[in-house]
Amino acid sequence: KTYNVAVVVGSLRKDSMNRKMAHALIKLAPESLKLSIVEIGELPLFNQDHEETPTPAISDFKQKIKAANAVLFVTPEYNRSVPGVLKNAIDTGSRPYGQSAWSGKPGAVVSVSPGAVGGFGANHHLRQVLASVNVPTMPQPEAYIGNGNKLFDANGDITEQSTADFLKKFLIAFDLWIERNI
Ligand code: FNR
């Protein structure tokens, strides 16, 4: 069996440590998980007036999420919560009512921050939103990755062996979570 996992990164910044984390996870994933990033930077700001007439960027985004077996969110914390760009993507994918791209996809959350708290606030606000869009989100292991500015070398590889080992275990647990919840 293989599962296709849509990876949604909550930062649009070129040098984003969360994007680096997403690429590291792609490399660390077991054979059975095919991770690919689904971009959110071209999505317009959600406007309910236009939800019945989606732009090509919106249709393309929803189609890619629908095609995936599961969703993995890798996000920074902005002011103790979810970055607006990520919330915009989740709201966009959830509409029109009854046509959500998210519903029933097993999910998991990784938050990365330069701070010591590892994006805990964003991670948990995101879990609340995911409950609303019917994404069963893996409860354990939790991944609050702090000191993210020291975590990657020039190639984007993880410098800390214990963190790489933890992330491998996280992905194996996610594989099992998908199997149980798909
Ligand atoms: C931040 N940052 C931040 N960090 C954190 O740990 N908790 C927070 O509440 C905030 N708040 C916050 C608000 C805004 C508007 C910005 C722009 C930044 C710092 C943030 O973790 C840092 O910029 C990361 O590098 C962002 O992740 P990427 O872009 O590197 O993936």
Side-chain angles (χ1 to χ4, degrees):
K1 68 177 172 47
T2 53
Y3 299 121
N4 292 315
V5 179
V7 181
V8 179
V9 178
S11 170
L12 305 184
R13 182 169 90 84
K14 185 159 52 68
D15 282 336
S16 161
M17 55 186 74
N18 282 277
R19 183 171 287 271
K20 286 179 192 163
M21 174 59 79
H23 284 290
L25 290 166
I26 290 169
K27 285 194 205 163
L28 291 169
E31 282 273 300
S32 50
L33 291 188
K34 302 286 176 221
L35 276 56
S36 45
I37 295 176
V38 176
E39 299 293 345
I40 64 172
E42 301 300 320
L43 293 173
L45 283 178
F46 178 75
N47 181 336
Q48 201 183 353
D49 286 339
H50 304 146
E51 68 178 0
E52 301 287 351
T53 51
T55 64
I58 295 170
S59 301
D60 181 57
F61 174 73
K62 285 189 70 178
Q63 187 273 324
K64 284 178 176 156
I65 298 297
K66 279 185 183 168
N69 300 116
V71 283
L72 173 61
F73 295 87
V74 186
T75 188
E77 175 174 270
Y78 279 5
N79 298 316
R80 298 282 174 260
S81 188
V82 180
V85 289
L86 177 55
K87 184 63 163 53
N88 185 61
I90 295 171
D91 293 340
T92 297
S94 74
R95 299 296 295 187
Y97 182 78
Q99 295 172 45
S100 174
W102 306 109
S103 190
K105 310 266 179 207
V109 179
V110 175
S111 51
V112 186
S113 166
V117 186
F120 172 85
N123 192 305
H124 277 262
H125 279 187
L126 179 55
R127 287 168 185 274
Q128 178 176 329
V129 175
L130 294 176
S132 163
V133 296
N134 194 31
V135 168
T137 304
M138 182 170 72
Q140 289 284 344
E142 299 154 284
Y144 313 111
I145 311 298
N147 301 311
N149 47 337
K150 298 187 191 104
L151 196 57
F152 303 97
D153 64 20
N155 296 322
D157 290 323
I158 289 181
T159 53
E160 193 86 40
Q161 189 57 44
S162 61
T163 304
D165 290 345
F166 166 75
L167 292 168
K168 273 188 198 166
K169 283 186 198 149
F170 180 92
L171 288 162
I172 289 165
F174 188 36
D175 189 44
L176 201 61
W177 180 254
I178 296 168
E179 192 174 319
R180 285 184 185 156
N181 288 279
I182 205 162

